[in-house]
Amino acid sequence: MISLDPRLGEIIDAYRTCEFVTLGRDGAPLAWPTAVGRRDDGTLLVTTSLAFARKALNVRRDGRVALLFSDPTASGLDRPDQVFVRGTAVCPEEIVTSPAGDEAYWSMLFDRQPESRRYVDAPARWLMDWYYLRLLITVTPTAVDTRPSLAEPAGTAAPATRAPTGAAPLGADVLAGFPTAVLAARDASGAPVLSRTRTVATADGFLVDPAPDCAAAAGPAGLLVHRHDDKLSGLYNALVRGELKPHGDGGMLLVPSRVVEPSGSGGPRDLVRTLRTARRDTAAYLKRRNLQRPDVDWPAFKKLAVASAGGAKQTVTG
């Protein structure tokens, strides 16, 4: 494990989300936006509910992961460096239903996402208990690099992803709403890599321009887009999956094959569908392992939520 420079640690702490990539069953890199906590021992904490256990299952098969801190929304920083972290991850089978031991992580979430505080009260407890049935993923950093920001300067209009002049490739309507996307790919060794890039839609796919230190190789890849507001609300993410191929004189082209929108477009119907799917997938996870649905430590979560609402100072490290 390497030690993070204190300055980089402060930048990581300021980012509200990062892009986190694991390797799927077929070896394809799969990226999601997630919140990360920095622990005192130098590791990084990522958690996921049983309803979205895919990243945990991937880690248990192949512990190679990567994180990219590249969207500074609500960070309070003016065009901070991007921080790219390679690492190895572990995810025990234990289902964690209490914030004990990771109070700082949950305090951070309650502080930064005020809307989540109401999940710990009735009747939301019944509807949202799946959210508090968590798997803990511990990432041990093995390499850290910084890259210049791709965020547009304050007060300027962000250039949208350009639309193709001919037939639009799959996913063009999704990517067109974002000035940049995050390329999730593999390097020559098969390890996952990430790079925020501007994209250009063509009739054949999306031209991408990975960072110079991102050794993305041809093979399965994806383009992740996501957004949130200053209170970690208005969440949306989508992954355009496909094949990364060499293109032209040193360029690369992502040929799309599938678009994954875990929560749909974010409308009311999508919200109801997401809640139903989350409860169903949580029950399925437990059933496959012959486990009873564990009880959530509501008083402990409530205590942290109240402290956050009261303005108690929260820290990211724990």
Side-chain angles (χ1 to χ4, degrees), residues 122-141:
R125 287 182 179 183
W126 177 85
L127 190 64
M128 296 297 298
D129 69 329
W130 57 268
Y131 182 80
Y132 296 95
L133 306 182
R134 291 271 163 167
L135 301 171
L136 306 189
I137 300 172
T138 299
V139 179
T140 299

Side-chain angles (χ1 to χ4, degrees), residues 43-305:
T43 62
L44 302 175
L45 173 64
V46 176
T47 77
T48 185
S49 73
L50 302 190
F52 300 99
R54 180 56 51 196
K55 60 178 72 70
L57 300 178
N58 289 347
V59 163
R60 290 171 186 167
R61 282 192 301 270
D62 191 327
R64 294 176 295 176
V65 300
L67 306 92
L68 179 65
F69 297 82
S70 66
D71 178 358
T73 301
S75 69
L77 303 178
D78 182 21
R79 306 191 74 205
D81 284 343
Q82 301 178 63
V83 183
F84 175 60
V85 180
R86 289 179 180 265
T88 57
V90 294
C91 181
E93 290 281 352
E94 179 186 6
I95 300 171
V96 178
T97 60
S98 168
D102 289 302
E103 289 89 349
Y105 176 84
W106 284 100
S107 294
M108 174 190 72
L109 292 184
F110 285 132
D111 183 53
R112 294 181 172 182
Q113 190 180 43
E115 182 179 336
S116 66
R117 298 172 194 157
R118 60 189 179 92
Y119 298 163
V120 301
D121 293 319
R125 287 182 179 183
W126 177 85
L127 190 64
M128 296 297 298
D129 69 329
W130 57 268
Y131 182 80
Y132 296 95
L133 306 182
R134 291 271 163 167
L135 301 171
L136 306 189
I137 300 172
T138 299
V139 179
T140 299
T142 57
V144 179
D145 296 295
T146 60
R147 299 167 183 166
S149 173
L150 278 187
E152 296 300 317
T156 63
T161 300
R162 284 181 278 174
T165 56
L170 182 67
D173 55 336
V174 172
L175 297 187
F178 295 83
T180 59
V182 172
L183 174 68
R186 301 184 308 192
D187 63 16
S189 74
V193 293
L194 294 165
S195 179
R196 185 166 286 274
T197 176
R198 294 185 173 87
T199 65
V200 177
T202 72
D204 298 321
F206 301 96
L207 293 172
V208 297
D209 184 22
D213 66 346
C214 176
L223 287 168
L224 171 69
V225 290
H226 64 98
R227 60 172 169 258
H228 61 80
D229 63 18
D230 287 356
K231 300 298 182 181
L232 283 181
S233 188
L235 305 176
Y236 171 79
N237 66 284
L239 181 65
V240 179
R241 297 183 61 179
E243 193 80 7
L244 190 63
K245 299 181 176 181
H247 183 273
D249 186 16
M252 305 202 82
L253 180 78
L254 189 286
V255 180
S257 59
R258 181 185 177 193
V259 177
V260 181
E261 292 180 282
S263 301
S265 61
R269 290 185 178 180
D270 289 327
L271 176 59
V272 172
R273 178 179 59 82
T274 298
L275 290 174
R276 287 176 176 172
T277 300
R279 294 189 64 83
R280 181 198 67 202
D281 290 349
T282 297
Y285 183 97
L286 294 169
K287 182 178 181 180
R288 283 194 298 269
R289 290 160 177 78
N290 295 315
L291 298 173
Q292 295 295 317
R293 199 181 192 93
D295 294 327
V296 176
D297 187 353
W298 293 116
F301 282 114
K302 176 70 173 180
K303 181 179 179 180
L304 293 179

Side-chain angles (χ1 to χ4, degrees), residues 2-61:
I2 66 166
S3 298
L4 286 174
D5 178 275
R7 182 185 70 87
L8 293 185
E10 291 177 0
I11 292 175
I12 286 175
D13 290 350
Y15 273 98
R16 268 33 182 176
T17 61
C18 78
E19 296 82 35
F20 177 61
V21 62
T22 63
L23 296 173
R25 186 186 300 274
D26 60 356
L30 302 175
W32 300 266
T34 190
V36 173
R38 206 164 50 90
R39 286 173 160 167
D40 289 340
D41 64 1
T43 62
L44 302 175
L45 173 64
V46 176
T47 77
T48 185
S49 73
L50 302 190
F52 300 99
R54 180 56 51 196
K55 60 178 72 70
L57 300 178
N58 289 347
V59 163
R60 290 171 186 167
R61 282 192 301 270

